[in-house]
Amino acid sequence: MTVKEIFDTMDYGPAPESAADALAWLIDQGASFGHFIDGSFTEPTAEFQSRNPANGEVLADLSQATQSDVDAAVAAARAAFPAWSGLSSHHRARYLYAIARLLQKHARLFAVLETLDNGKPIRESRDIDIPLVQRHFYYHAGMAQLMASELPDREALGVCGQIIPWNFPLLMLAWKVAPAIAMGNTVVLKPAEYTSLTAILFADICRQAGLPKGVVNIVTGDGAVGEMIVTHEDIDKIAFTGSTSVGRKIREATAGSGKALTLELGGKSPYIVFDDADIDSAIEGLVDAIWFNQGQVCCAGSRLLVQEGIADRFYTKLKARMANLRIGDPLDKSIDIGAIVDPVQLDSISAMVAANTAGEVYQAPCDIPEGGCFYPPTLITDLATSDLLMQEEIFGPVLCSMTFRTPAEAIEIANNTRYGLAATVWTENVNLALDIAPKLAAGVVWVNATNLFDAAAGFGGIRESGFGREGGWEGLMAYTKPKSQAEPLERIEAYPGDSSEIASFDPLDRTPKLYIGGKQARPDGGYSQSVFAPDGQLLGQAPIANRKDVRNAVEAAQSAKAWSKTTGHLRAQILFYIAENLAARADEFAGRIDALTGGDTGAIEVEVAISRLFTYAAWADKFDGQAHSVPIRGVALAMREPVGVIGALCPDDVPLLGLVSLMAPAIAMGNRVVLTASEAYPLVALDFMQILETSDVPAGVVNILTGSHSELASPLADHLNLDAIWSFSSTALSGPIEAKSAGNLKRSWVNNSLNRDWISDAGEGRDFLEAATEVKNIWVPYGE
């Protein structure tokens, strides 16, 4: 036999990892677990089992939390919060450091237990998941240390309810627990029903680290336990990772509660291969993109888009690579693909593939172990964007594919989805890569790589992939709030009057109009309302906008997409120009405000509005992203991008300043806006339209409606082409707006009926800029 023949016939022999220590740990604990509440474990009730998906063997009995268990965990977290948040940054950092060190000391135990419980290959648990878990606690130990100096105006939110999925049980725990406790919050966490064991082992690590009782509490059980956490009145924030359908229900359930919310949801991520790509490298990357963790990854590259000229060659090589993938016992260090987490998930994958009638299905001729939850690596080619499998998340080792001809077509296909979590671009042309990446609707883009994660770089999506980020400075902010305390906001009513008294009204009446698409437009309904001074004098009429006007305004804003591509310098010039034109009519606007409100602060409001326009003109080309320091030979660029089209209900008490305070940061960052002016004092907004018309603001960038906030809030929050909605109305609309925003999971920023001092510094700054931008992390490895 020649050397070549030996190499051609060689195969990987078994390389099993011993499960003895992990099984011994389970037995030592009685293989039965209660909840971890207030620093100790409760008596187990053994209501459901955790099984090894590779062979169906029972690993342990677990307890289903009741409402009283959840109440006890929340009470423990609430009791621990004052002391924990009151600790110095340095002391919290020491605890996180201790946890990180203990995770390192017990790394192999965690890796084996994770593989037993989840079914993922031991190589992945050992070399990816557990090191990343350690990295998150080390990184956030540093963040805890820096909080006092770098975030002096921020403080902890309070008690955080956290619900994590089964695909990365310990890593998702670390993503949520580490930043929460670093910033001084306390936690009630629910692991997934299928995979609770490493969370329980982590609870034991918390005890070994001496973490104060009640800082971390863990309750186990099914989705009903998650619902108890979401709806609990004494929880201040919900952080959820899971399916989009459940995320939508959580958005509805928390609406109006005042709870902070971050959602990391599903995805249907494109994997784009251009004709100049290194094909062999792209295929190896694709193996990681879709068959890593059996494809049970929210950001899996499950939509393969190949440029037409190389498609046949690419598919041939890909099928050859698939045929050599090894499926088997997850504890075998030589296998590539482990077990699906549970028979329920296996049945779901099988049913979706079986129901598909489009394209050509290829399943790798791999040896499938008998027993256990295994599914072969699958490729389905020649699909269309409208096919179900190109749109819906399969969450399994199934790759769906189609071809494209041009970069423009690749972008169009890639963005043709309701999701927006991640994307991969494979090309040897760096100019092409950096041209494509910003155009992809995704929170994370990998160039010539895939599934790169680090604690320093935020991870999260847009569209129906959720909102908020985990990791980095942007993820940290989600676990803090401003230290200032707001007072309850009272509803501001328009002044009554007698519309028959018109003696003081200008006989040359101006027809009241809305401002849509860069021009004044008559209201669709043809109605207007009279606006009176405090003494009952008729000052004018304002149009009453309706649902059709909202639709027209959103369409105009959508048509102004070019604004998002303009330079910050150009946007700054236009904001300066608006300020200049407003200053030229300052006395007129001050008089109008005083006449409407019956006060004498109109001049101050106008002056602050001019200053605010200058502030955001200054920020337009200065609110930068950053280059994250990540442990790869490469760079992760955190790029600030506009949210898109923002609908906003303006404050009622400061009719000019409130409108400017929402409009200016939004358009400075490249967004387009649909503004609903002060309901009580709308005439100022009608006058401000003339300022916009003479300030070179492109048509559709700013649209202004007047009318009832309660009537306009619903069509705005419902609109699927709005990307965000803000409400600072004095009408109590926060709950309905948040509930309706669940339709397309648009970002919402509401006042929860709390007052904001718009004249002071609280009326401007980074909070507004953060709300007006999304962070896209673009990973660019370099070198040979």
Side-chain angles (χ1 to χ4, degrees), residues 84 92 96 99 103 132-141 143-144 162 171-185 187 189 202 216 455 476 479:
W84 180 248
R92 283 202 304 275
L96 271 85
I99 291 172
L103 286 165
L132 270 174
V133 170
Q134 298 158 9
R135 163 72 173 153
H136 270 268
F137 278 95
Y138 275 122
Y139 178 85
H140 286 98
M143 285 297 201
Q162 303 180 327
L171 184 55
M172 294 296 101
L173 178 151
W175 280 19
K176 288 177 169 54
V177 171
I181 66 175
M183 294 295 99
N185 301 280
V187 165
L189 179 136
F202 176 79
V216 171
L476 204 68
Y479 285 98

Side-chain angles (χ1 to χ4, degrees), residues 364-508:
C366 303
D367 294 331
I368 306 296
E370 294 183 6
C373 301
F374 295 93
Y375 194 86
T378 301
L379 169 67
I380 306 176
T381 54
D382 298 326
L383 292 172
T385 54
S386 59
D387 289 327
L388 182 69
L389 295 189
M390 286 293 284
Q391 292 293 331
E392 294 301 323
E393 192 174 31
I394 302 171
F395 225 65
V398 180
L399 177 62
C400 303
S401 182
M402 61 182 295
T403 61
F404 66 90
R405 292 184 177 180
T406 66
E409 186 183 8
I411 294 166
E412 185 176 350
I413 295 171
N415 292 341
N416 188 356
T417 173
R418 61 195 175 99
Y419 297 111
L421 188 53
T424 297
V425 177
W426 216 278
T427 174
E428 291 295 287
N429 184 341
V430 68
N431 294 317
L432 176 62
L434 296 181
D435 176 57
I436 296 294
K439 297 175 181 177
L440 295 172
V444 182
V445 178
W446 295 294
V447 175
N448 290 348
T450 194
N451 283 341
L452 297 177
F453 309 102
D454 187 66
F459 180 85
I462 62 174
R463 295 179 172 176
E464 293 190 31
S465 289
F467 47 78
R469 296 291 181 265
E470 293 184 300
W473 286 100
E474 55 266 39
L476 204 68
M477 298 301 287
Y479 285 98
T480 66
K481 64 180 180 181
K483 285 183 176 178
S484 58
Q485 299 297 319
E487 299 294 327
L489 177 63
E490 295 183 3
R491 176 165 163 74
I492 297 172
E493 303 278 1
Y495 292 112
D498 185 354
S499 58
S500 64
E501 297 291 332
I502 61 171
S504 61
F505 187 58
D506 187 351
L508 295 176

Side-chain angles (χ1 to χ4, degrees), residues 571-592:
R571 296 195 294 270
Q573 288 186 78
I574 290 176
L575 282 160
F576 280 130
Y577 198 10
I578 296 172
E580 177 186 337
N581 287 331
L582 179 58
R585 295 174 58 182
D587 292 343
E588 174 191 340
F589 273 87
R592 174 69 102 174

Side-chain angles (χ1 to χ4, degrees), residues 23 51 73 105 109 218 242 244 296 360 382 430 452 500 523 526 601 651 699 758 769 779:
L23 295 174
R51 292 177 177 270
K105 292 176 181 178
L109 175 59
I218 296 174
T244 295
Q296 300 168 130
E360 180 182 328
D382 298 326
V430 68
L452 297 177
S500 64
T601 60
W758 294 97
L769 297 168
W779 291 69

Side-chain angles (χ1 to χ4, degrees), residues 166-167 267-268 286-303 322 337-342 344-353 363 373-380 389 392-400:
W166 44 257
N167 55 341
K268 194 71 180 175
L286 189 55
V287 169
D288 285 337
I290 184 59
W291 293 301
F292 172 63
N293 200 26
Q294 298 72 252
Q296 300 168 130
V297 184
C298 53
C299 57
S302 56
R303 283 191 301 148
M322 291 171 64
I337 299 176
I340 303 300
V341 71
D342 189 84
V344 171
Q345 181 63 19
L346 178 62
D347 290 345
S348 173
I349 297 166
S350 302
M352 289 189 74
V353 174
Q363 290 190 321
C373 301
F374 295 93
Y375 194 86
T378 301
L379 169 67
I380 306 176
L389 295 189
E392 294 301 323
E393 192 174 31
I394 302 171
F395 225 65
V398 180
L399 177 62
C400 303

Side-chain angles (χ1 to χ4, degrees), residues 594-617:
D594 288 343
L596 283 165
T597 63
D600 58 1
T601 60
I604 296 173
E605 184 176 334
V606 173
E607 185 57 36
V608 175
I610 294 168
S611 173
R612 199 143 288 169
L613 287 162
F614 265 70
T615 293
Y616 291 114

